[in-house]
Amino acid sequence: MKLDDDIHNYYEHLVLERLTELGLDTEKSPDYLADVCCLALNQVPPRYIRYEVDMAFYLPQSERNQMEMNVAHAVDKAIKFLNNSETKPQDKEKAAV
C-alpha cells in the first residue's frame, strides 16, 4: 500500500472545486493556485478518505454544506491574504516616488 496513492484529504477536492467555481483555474498561475490551496487547507481540519464514493454515500448533506461553507471562507481568506501581500511591495514603491 502506498499511502500517497490510497489516502487523501477530502478537503483537497473541495478546495479545487471552489477554485474552479471562481474561475481562478483559468485566470491565475499554477504557483498562485498552489499557494491558495495550501493557505486554505491549513485553515480547515483534515478529512482523510480512501474513496470519493464513500463521501458521496455516507456524508450527510448538512455536513457537506458546512464543509463547503468552511472551504469557501478559507479560500476567500487565502485569496485576500495573497492579493494583499502582492500589492504591498507595489504600494511601497509608489510611496517612494
Side-chain angles (χ1 to χ4, degrees):
M1 175 176 91
K2 282 186 65 176
L3 278 176
D4 59 343
D5 291 337
D6 293 338
I7 298 172
H8 66 279
N9 182 353
Y10 185 68
Y11 274 103
E12 293 170 4
H13 171 76
L14 295 178
V15 167
L16 293 174
E17 204 174 77
R18 178 68 177 161
L19 295 178
T20 302
E21 286 174 11
L22 295 173
L24 294 177
D25 58 326
T26 59
E27 296 174 4
K28 299 292 186 176
S29 72
D31 286 336
Y32 181 91
L33 295 174
D35 287 344
V36 169
C37 287
C38 289
L39 290 168
L41 287 167
N42 282 328
Q43 296 178 63
V44 293
R47 182 77 182 252
Y48 292 102
I49 61 169
R50 288 188 63 196
Y51 305 108
E52 295 284 330
V53 70
D54 290 343
M55 294 302 279
F57 287 112
Y58 300 111
L59 184 68
Q61 188 61 38
S62 60
E63 190 173 346
R64 164 110 180 160
N65 291 341
Q66 183 63 52
M67 291 172 77
E68 288 173 353
M69 285 178 17
N70 293 346
V71 165
H73 178 72
V75 167
D76 292 346
K77 190 174 174 182
I79 290 168
K80 185 177 179 180
F81 176 81
L82 286 177
N83 290 345
N84 285 340
S85 64
E86 285 180 353
T87 57
K88 285 185 180 181
Q90 294 170 357
D91 292 342
K92 290 178 184 177
E93 289 174 15
K94 288 178 187 177
V97 174

